[in-house]
Amino acid sequence: MQIDTAPAPFEADLDDKRVALGYVSEAFAEGCLDGIDGDCMAQAALFAAFQELVMTYGEDATARYAEGFPERIRGGAFTTAPQH
């Protein structure tokens, strides 16, 4: 009997996303070190991300995806610092 030890597609996707987040975080940090305002970097990163999603999935699918952001933001999905 052979056991499949390859990660499930979902797990592999998570690993890819973690690596990608590392690249984006490094680029963000480099921009800030070069004197670019963090808010400017964040807006540029969002623009680039949505541009890629629209090219990949189309405008309607990307808009539906973005509809869930207000609830996720308010729910702390993107908060990394402890809340007071």
Side-chain angles (χ1 to χ4, degrees):
M1 183 164 115
Q2 186 177 16
I3 298 175
D4 186 7
T5 58
F10 181 74
E11 292 170 350
D13 190 41
L14 283 178
D15 288 340
D16 288 346
K17 288 177 182 178
R18 284 188 190 106
V19 170
L21 180 59
Y23 282 114
V24 171
S25 295
E26 287 177 23
F28 197 99
E30 283 186 35
C32 290
L33 286 173
D34 286 345
I36 299 173
D37 182 67
D39 179 63
C40 184
M41 289 294 299
Q43 289 185 41
L46 285 170
F47 180 84
F50 279 111
Q51 187 177 36
E52 181 66 27
L53 289 171
V54 167
M55 287 189 324
T56 303
Y57 300 108
E59 292 169 344
D60 289 335
T62 302
R64 283 192 305 275
Y65 174 69
E67 287 172 356
F69 283 138
E71 184 176 314
R72 292 177 64 199
I73 292 167
R74 289 183 189 105
F78 303 100
T79 302
T80 57
Q83 297 291 312
H84 296 282

